[in-house]
Amino acid sequence: PLQLLFALIFSVMSYFLVGLQPGLLHFLKYCLAVVITTLAAESYVIMVGAWVPDDKTAAILGPVAFALMSLFGGFFLNIDSLPFFVAWLQYLSLFKYSFAAIMQNEFRGLKFTCDEEDSRTWLETLDDSTRAHVEEFIHLLPCPTPDGETHLHRLKLDQIGVWPCIFSLALIAVLFRVLGFVALRRRSRALMSGQQKERRCPVLPRNRGAKKPEGHPKQG
């Protein structure tokens, strides 16, 4: 409950401070995506802590895995730029689904307009030969990003909808919790079996009343 409260407070503050798209449905979906992402991340930490043998190993595996999830989540790298032999790792990243859900919730349905300053900024990104040809009829060109759907398609974040992304996050959270429960159950069974072995093999007490064998030299 405490994690849910912190995630909800962060969602409310960040939504209005950033100035995201107004609307109750957009706000609720944003809060739900943040809360489910928090639960999924917490579930992963619980799973790692349950499976690894000590806290030092957990302190190493946790940040490394989160860094890889962030790398393949679509925020730092475009999904199309990933080599084919590592592209499949994106589906194991919980940040892929949370980032896609939040971006679609924000950009779907938005319309953009381009002014002269935007056109000049776009021209500066072209090489000299292309710029010389484009400047003549730039007033006839449409806006490079006319709507939010175009921006999502350019970032390859329109492949999975908002609700499938939220459902995937919930499924990942449940999976991590189940794996953590399995690890704790195995540990408890091993601990109980070890205690039973100690009870079955008690240490025999020393027999102090035993007689000394004949011929044993007497101690002065």
Side-chain angles (χ1 to χ4, degrees):
L2 194 60
Q3 292 291 339
L4 294 178
L5 179 61
F6 288 154
L8 190 59
I9 293 174
F10 171 81
S11 302
V12 175
M13 294 179 60
S14 61
Y15 194 89
F16 294 103
L17 287 175
V18 175
L20 299 178
Q21 189 172 172
L24 180 61
L25 184 58
H26 289 282
F27 172 71
L28 293 178
K29 287 192 290 187
Y30 174 81
C31 292
L32 182 60
V34 173
V35 169
I36 295 296
T37 303
T38 303
L39 290 178
E42 183 187 21
S43 301
Y44 170 76
V45 173
I46 293 174
M47 182 198 67
V48 171
W51 277 100
V52 298
D54 51 62
D55 55 347
K56 293 182 179 180
T57 307
I60 295 174
L61 291 179
V64 170
F66 276 126
L68 292 176
M69 289 183 188
S70 301
L71 184 63
F72 294 102
F75 182 77
F76 296 104
L77 293 175
N78 194 305
I79 300 300
D80 280 356
S81 65
L82 297 175
F84 71 94
F85 53 87
V86 295
W88 59 272
L89 291 173
Q90 62 178 298
Y91 300 104
L92 302 178
S93 171
L94 60 92
F95 298 119
K96 167 187 171 61
Y97 305 103
S98 61
F99 182 57
I102 292 174
M103 289 289 288
Q104 290 185 43
N105 182 56
E106 174 62 22
F107 281 94
R108 284 196 184 279
L110 290 182
K111 302 295 181 182
F112 303 115
T113 56
C114 298
D115 53 18
E116 295 182 1
E117 184 178 355
D118 296 328
S119 300
R120 280 193 240 101
T121 303
W122 177 68
L123 281 175
E124 292 177 358
T125 62
L126 305 176
D127 57 86
D128 295 337
S129 59
T130 305
R131 189 184 303 114
H133 295 287
V134 173
E135 283 179 342
E136 300 178 0
F137 52 89
I138 189 173
H139 62 283
L140 301 176
L141 295 178
C143 184
T145 308
D147 48 37
E149 284 76 6
T150 303
H151 184 60
L152 292 172
H153 181 71
R154 187 176 297 150
L155 297 177
K156 304 303 177 184
L157 295 175
D158 57 346
Q159 300 174 356
I160 307 177
V162 175
W163 291 113
C165 286
I166 293 177
F167 177 76
S168 300
L169 286 171
L171 188 63
I172 291 174
V174 172
L175 178 62
F176 285 158
R177 295 273 179 170
V178 171
L179 292 176
F181 174 77
V182 171
L184 291 177
R185 188 174 179 84
R186 291 184 59 183
R187 278 192 175 186
S188 63
R189 285 183 175 180
L191 182 61
M192 292 177 64
S193 62
Q195 291 178 352
Q196 290 177 358
K197 288 181 180 180
E198 291 180 358
R199 292 175 182 175
R200 292 174 183 174
C201 302
V203 178
L204 295 176
R206 295 177 58 183
N207 190 358
R208 297 182 178 179
K211 295 182 179 181
K212 296 182 181 180
E214 296 181 358
H216 191 277
K218 294 183 179 181
Q219 296 181 356

